[in-house]
Amino acid sequence: MLFNDYPFLLGFLPAAILIYRFADPHPSWRIPVLVLLSAVFYAWWNPPFVALLVLSIAFNWLAALAYLRTKRASIITIAILVNLAVLAGFKYTNFISANIGLLLDRPMPQFDITLPLGISFFTFHHIMYLVDLRRGKAPSYPLGHYALYISFFPQALAGPLVRWSEVMSQFGRKVYQPGWPRDFCIGICFIAIGLFEKTFLADRIGRIIDPIYAQAAQGPLSNGDAWLALSFSFQILFDFSGYSDIAIGLGLLFGIRLPFNFNAPMRATNIQDFWQRWHITLMNFLRDYLFQPMVNTRLRFLPRRLFAVQYFGALLLTMVLCGLWHGASWTFVLWGAIHGSALVVCSLWRRYGPRLPALIGWALTVMLVIVTGVIFRAGTLEAAWNIFSGLDVAPRLERGRHLGPLFIVPLVAFLLPSSQDIIARLARKPRPWLAAMLGIGILVLLIELGEQHAYEFAYYRF
Amino acid sequence: MSSLTTDSEDDIGWKRCLVAGASAFGISALLLFAMLVLVDPYDSGRGWLGIDGVDDRNTYTSAASRARDPQFDAAIIGNSTAQPLNPADLSRATGLRFVQLYLTGGSPREQLAVLDFFLRHHPRVGALVFVTDPFWCQHRRAETRPGDFPYWIYGTNSFAYAARLMSREGIEHAFQRIAIGLDMRKRKRVDGFYSYEDVWLPGSFRDLNPPRDPAPALSAAERDFFPEIAELDAAVKKLPVDVPVVIAVPPTLATTVARSGTVAAQEREACDAALAKIVAGRPRSNFLNYRIDNAQTRDRVNFADFIHYRESLAGKIVSGVAESLRLGNAAKVAF
């Protein structure tokens, strides 16, 4: 079930709202009902993997319980290693096997492994809680709360990555209390804007460039289409920010405020600024649970005056791992390494270099994001090279209006504020006429959704 | 359900917003749906406004309008390999009123759906002509991607039809039909003839579209079993005995004709025999096999690609079909 298909929007979602409406007056029902609805949502895709989700929840909750009883830090370490091992088993087995094969110069077996939906995200949720538990920052929670934290359907598959501290206190609260109509209106606004981003912006670009990337995987591009492939970064921006906005909106319909994930990243004036605006919750996770521990660890072999080496090394490594988290491919590693290097250069420039005009900083940032987007999307280094080498042929623009999305969507990314800022402006006070227009807009969106085979959200793959 | 909360003034305002949004959604959906039902975007005969015809090049969606048109009593059914047969020529030669119901790239199952629709709207049928490309000779039912062909337009379930109207395509078609009704737009040619030679200009040949010949049968029993032909046979058997039926196997470039004695030739013979059996014994009916190796099929000038023949051959096929509709299998067919 996708957020942008009819079974979800016209079936599951209305049913879930109705069911929860009946559960809401009964405090003891609220969390179990949401957990059950989340399990149904997850099972729709692949029922057997619900068992993995349930096992994962039970294992980590029991590990937390055992730690609180014994205070043995090794329990947390083992639990985190098990989580990472399961993630690696599903996600990286073939990648590791293929690369060992390359090293040994002999074919290695490749396995037919289905990646459980959302495993990268729920693994990180477990890690956030377990690490904070060991740091003494997190309390213990009943199983129901913990199960909902991991499985809450709006964010279970592709985020936003939510800290336990951001949502645990919201679980079990009464939804239908004063203020709920406003939350509902805002939630529906987020869902509508998210569907618009996905359907009218991201998918429109996807339809143009998907065949180009397929062609690049087969061989060189010599017809000028390589230029069109550069627009991938705008596709993934609106694909993922669309998904995140829908998730935030859905959360509000069930009384949960999820954190924002994007803040108009294409308006960033340097790469550091960009990473504070793009996939914000992942960056916060990487900063707090990977980068900072690496920076704060005292390395005996490294003199304190060379701390900058450790700092920038940690920065680079964080971004490389960020790349690898997105997928088991060297293209992701290269993408992460380039962004890590750019962050290092940006950091040094800001300290030692002259101040760049914002416009130049913005142009450099956008160019970097666009170029590295090709590496991110291409799948293989050869395909990425085929795109880049195809740029020596001028683009064919005679297709006119068919290429419209490639001009319009970047303008939207450059000129419009973030969706939360737009909604904050719209929701200053209740305006029924605006709500009526939104109702008609949602009808248009639903009609448009019926026209196409639903495009999966890109981050479901990660 | 009783209210669970005490409404503040602010909440009342936001509740009005919810009501306004839901009402606008519901009312506009209802009005749009009513318009679509009245207009009948695909001219499937379910509308209320009495607008005739469509302005639609997509044969999958436009065939319904022609297939139910009462001014025709005979039909040419097939895919693009039937397209060059001009129904006007056939009408002139036979005195019947032919409509062209080809489906571009249409599978046998899709063609059968159109046949069924045509028969439901024509209590009296003058004649039927089927152009059966090699797709009919598959031993296993061909898989088609769900959603490609709008079976719901041609089916009998009006609710299933109504449920699919709310789409961008449905709305576009509805406005096209309204424009036709207001004389602001012309409907497409009534008899459905559209020559692909307007696009594939004479004198050019493209090395494209090899015939979709079936994979060899896995057993002797399977060789004589053609599920799509069996369905066509059943459909023809339901027709009154005096309805003439002509089945024509379209020509392909000679290089794609199976050589005698090969497995492919045996497969072809088995398929031809099954097709011929459908019309055997039926008055003024015939099976015509144009997929042969001769001087005309060896000449690339007569083809746009491997399977799409040009008007030079189409004229001969029309003559053969017309002669068959007059004399049945006694017709002398020159090719």
Side-chain angles (χ1 to χ4, degrees):
Chain A
M1 207 159 16
L2 304 172
F3 285 171
N4 59 331
D5 66 12
Y6 281 170
F8 177 79
L9 291 168
L10 301 179
F12 179 85
L13 183 58
I17 291 171
L18 198 66
I19 291 168
Y20 195 77
R21 182 69 180 89
F22 284 105
D24 193 57
H26 311 283
S28 60
W29 291 11
R30 291 173 196 154
I31 288 176
V33 164
L34 275 184
V35 171
L36 205 65
L37 288 170
S38 299
V40 170
F41 174 79
Y42 196 82
W44 197 278
W45 165 70
N46 191 336
F49 278 126
V50 176
L52 177 74
L53 186 66
V54 170
L55 272 176
S56 167
I57 290 167
F59 169 78
N60 285 284
W61 184 75
L62 287 171
L65 208 64
Y67 170 75
L68 287 169
R69 294 240 170 109
T70 62
K71 294 294 174 190
R72 284 188 183 169
S74 58
I75 293 175
I76 299 291
T77 308
I78 290 168
I80 290 173
L81 287 174
V82 169
N83 280 302
L84 292 174
V86 172
L87 177 63
F90 278 107
K91 203 164 173 176
Y92 301 105
T93 301
N94 284 330
F95 179 65
I96 294 165
S97 173
N99 283 289
I100 290 173
L102 282 175
L103 279 175
L104 301 178
D105 197 21
R106 56 190 271 199
M108 295 293 283
Q110 290 288 295
F111 305 94
D112 185 17
I113 299 171
T114 306
L115 186 69
L117 222 48
I119 188 169
S120 302
F121 289 89
F122 67 69
T123 300
F124 279 13
H125 278 126
H126 288 311
I127 290 172
M128 280 195 276
Y129 177 70
L130 292 173
V131 169
D132 284 353
L133 194 69
R134 189 167 60 186
R135 287 174 178 169
K137 291 181 179 172
S140 70
Y141 285 103
L143 180 59
H145 276 71
Y146 191 74
L148 188 55
Y149 169 54
I150 300 300
S151 68
F152 184 45
F153 74 87
Q155 46 98 55
L157 302 187
L161 279 164
V162 188
R163 287 190 179 197
W164 57 271
S165 54
E166 290 173 298
V167 287
M168 284 296 199
S169 60
Q170 300 184 60
F171 290 159
R173 279 202 316 218
K174 194 173 185 188
V175 172
Y176 295 92
Q177 58 180 343
W180 78 264
R182 183 173 184 272
D183 282 353
F184 253 65
C185 287
I186 293 174
I188 292 167
C189 268
F190 266 108
I191 293 170
I193 287 182
L195 287 173
F196 177 82
E197 289 172 84
K198 170 71 176 155
T199 311
F200 281 95
L201 304 180
D203 290 353
R204 292 282 165 98
I205 290 187
R207 265 180 240 143
I208 296 170
I209 67 171
D210 282 355
I212 299 171
Y213 277 99
Q215 203 186 333
Q218 304 297 320
L221 298 174
S222 54
N223 53 6
D225 279 356
W227 286 94
L228 312 185
L230 295 177
S231 57
F232 170 72
S233 292
F234 298 98
Q235 182 198 354
I236 193 145
L237 163 65
F238 287 113
D239 188 286
F240 194 32
S241 79
Y243 168 85
S244 299
D245 286 339
I246 297 170
I248 290 164
L250 292 171
L252 285 171
L253 298 185
F254 295 91
I256 311 293
R257 287 168 197 266
L258 298 173
F260 301 130
N261 226 2
F262 287 85
N263 185 17
M266 289 299 187
R267 299 171 72 176
T269 52
N270 63 59
I271 196 66
Q272 283 180 336
D273 185 22
F274 174 84
W275 279 112
Q276 283 161 8
R277 293 161 171 262
W278 179 290
H279 206 169
I280 297 165
T281 57
L282 175 68
M283 284 301 118
N284 289 346
F285 170 83
L286 293 174
R287 183 194 63 206
D288 294 346
Y289 296 91
L290 191 63
F291 173 72
Q292 282 183 351
M294 282 197 283
V295 166
N296 293 333
T297 301
R298 193 70 196 268
L299 300 175
R300 284 182 192 164
F301 59 86
L302 197 72
R304 208 57 196 152
R305 64 191 160 80
L306 294 180
F307 173 72
V309 174
Q310 181 181 350
Y311 180 89
F312 290 127
L315 191 56
L316 192 60
L317 187 59
T318 300
M319 289 311 291
V320 167
L321 290 173
C322 171
L324 199 58
W325 173 82
H326 281 91
S329 162
W330 288 110
T331 49
F332 289 116
V333 175
L334 178 62
W335 172 83
I338 293 173
H339 272 275
S341 306
L343 283 168
V344 171
V345 169
C346 179
S347 190
L348 289 170
W349 185 281
R350 290 180 78 182
R351 184 172 293 180
Y352 301 112
R355 191 179 161 79
L356 273 184
L359 197 64
I360 293 177
W362 169 79
L364 287 173
T365 307
V366 168
M367 271 166 55
L368 176 78
V369 171
I370 285 175
V371 169
T372 52
V374 171
I375 299 168
F376 188 95
R377 169 67 176 82
T380 63
L381 295 173
E382 290 80 14
W385 177 247
N386 287 336
I387 300 273
F388 290 132
S389 57
L391 295 177
D392 62 354
V393 181
R396 294 175 302 149
L397 300 177
E398 65 270 17
R399 280 187 282 170
R401 74 187 178 95
H402 295 295
L403 302 182
L406 301 184
F407 298 99
I408 295 165
V409 178
L411 281 178
V412 172
F414 295 146
L415 298 177
L416 289 190
S418 66
S419 40
Q420 57 269 26
D421 287 344
I422 294 171
I423 290 170
R425 187 172 279 240
L426 295 176
R428 275 189 197 146
K429 60 178 184 181
R431 296 185 184 96
W433 65 269
L434 205 57
M437 284 180 63
L438 182 68
I440 295 170
I442 289 172
L443 178 66
V444 172
L445 277 167
L446 286 176
I447 289 170
E448 181 65 21
L449 284 175
E451 203 58 38
Q452 53 184 344
H453 297 297
Y455 263 55
E456 193 178 86
F457 285 97
Y459 263 69
Y460 280 12
R461 292 195 291 270
F462 305 141
Chain B
M1 193 183 302
S2 63
S3 175
L4 298 164
T5 61
T6 311
D7 292 340
S8 67
E9 212 169 287
D10 203 31
D11 276 358
I12 291 169
W14 287 108
K15 274 188 180 173
R16 280 196 190 121
C17 284
L18 285 175
V19 171
S23 305
F25 177 86
I27 292 168
S28 50
L30 210 65
L31 287 175
L32 185 62
F33 184 68
M35 184 270 281
L36 290 167
V37 168
L38 286 174
V39 173
D40 182 15
Y42 305 99
D43 194 16
S44 70
R46 299 168 175 105
W48 296 69
L49 295 186
I51 303 169
D52 287 327
V54 290
D55 178 14
D56 183 8
R57 274 265 167 94
N58 180 350
T59 51
Y60 284 13
T61 45
S62 66
S65 174
R66 294 191 297 278
R68 71 177 200 86
D69 193 334
Q71 66 179 298
F72 301 110
D73 63 357
I76 303 165
I77 292 171
N79 53 27
S80 60
T81 59
Q83 187 178 343
L85 306 187
N86 191 334
D89 292 345
L90 210 46
S91 299
R92 268 193 297 277
T94 60
L96 295 166
R97 288 160 288 138
F98 270 93
V99 63
Q100 180 52 276
L101 296 178
Y102 77 94
L103 301 172
T104 310
S107 70
R109 192 170 158 237
E110 291 156 2
Q111 294 170 40
L112 288 167
V114 173
L115 167 67
D116 184 55
F117 189 84
F118 177 81
L119 296 176
R120 287 206 312 272
H121 287 84
H122 291 85
R124 215 201 130 267
V125 177
L128 290 173
V129 175
F130 296 96
V131 179
T132 52
D133 78 337
F135 215 11
W136 285 87
C137 302
Q138 307 286 338
H139 299 292
R140 286 171 288 278
R141 196 179 293 280
E143 296 276 332
T144 50
R145 283 187 301 166
D148 276 0
F149 184 78
Y151 287 103
W152 46 275
I153 293 179
Y154 300 92
T156 53
N157 187 337
S158 291
F159 289 107
Y161 176 80
R164 303 298 293 267
L165 289 181
M166 289 281 266
S167 66
R168 192 181 57 196
E169 195 187 25
I171 294 165
E172 279 173 8
H173 280 83
F175 281 107
Q176 282 174 7
R177 294 248 301 143
I178 290 170
I180 290 170
L182 296 172
D183 267 344
M184 293 162 64
R185 196 167 185 149
K186 282 192 173 172
R187 62 185 292 191
K188 283 273 174 289
R189 187 168 156 165
V190 180
D191 67 5
F193 180 69
Y194 173 71
S195 171
Y196 52 57
E197 290 204 275
D198 293 347
V199 184
W200 301 334
L201 298 176
S204 60
F205 180 88
R206 305 168 312 149
D207 284 317
L208 292 177
N209 295 323
R212 293 182 285 191
D213 285 313
L218 298 174
S219 64
E222 193 184 66
R223 176 165 294 159
D224 294 324
F225 178 66
F226 304 95
E228 319 283 16
I229 293 178
E231 281 190 37
L232 178 60
D233 188 29
V236 169
K237 280 199 169 78
K238 283 187 199 159
L239 295 170
V241 286
D242 61 336
V243 175
V245 175
V246 174
I247 296 176
V249 175
T252 63
L253 192 72
T255 53
T256 66
V257 175
R259 299 284 154 239
S260 174
T262 60
V263 174
Q266 289 170 3
E267 288 280 344
R268 187 66 245 175
E269 283 162 19
C271 184
D272 288 346
L275 288 166
K277 208 171 141 189
I278 295 174
V279 291
R282 184 172 273 276
R284 293 184 294 128
S285 300
N286 202 3
F287 169 73
L288 302 169
N289 182 11
Y290 291 100
R291 197 176 177 193
I292 55 174
D293 181 354
N294 66 12
Q296 294 174 94
T297 59
R298 265 176 247 137
D299 190 349
R300 291 186 169 217
V301 170
N302 290 324
F303 290 88
D305 57 33
F306 289 112
I307 59 170
H308 292 109
Y309 49 93
R310 294 198 176 274
E311 278 176 24
S312 49
L313 299 190
K316 292 181 190 302
I317 297 171
V318 166
S319 302
V321 170
E323 191 69 1
S324 297
L325 290 174
R326 202 163 61 82
L327 300 171
N329 58 9
K332 293 203 181 339
V333 177
F335 187 67

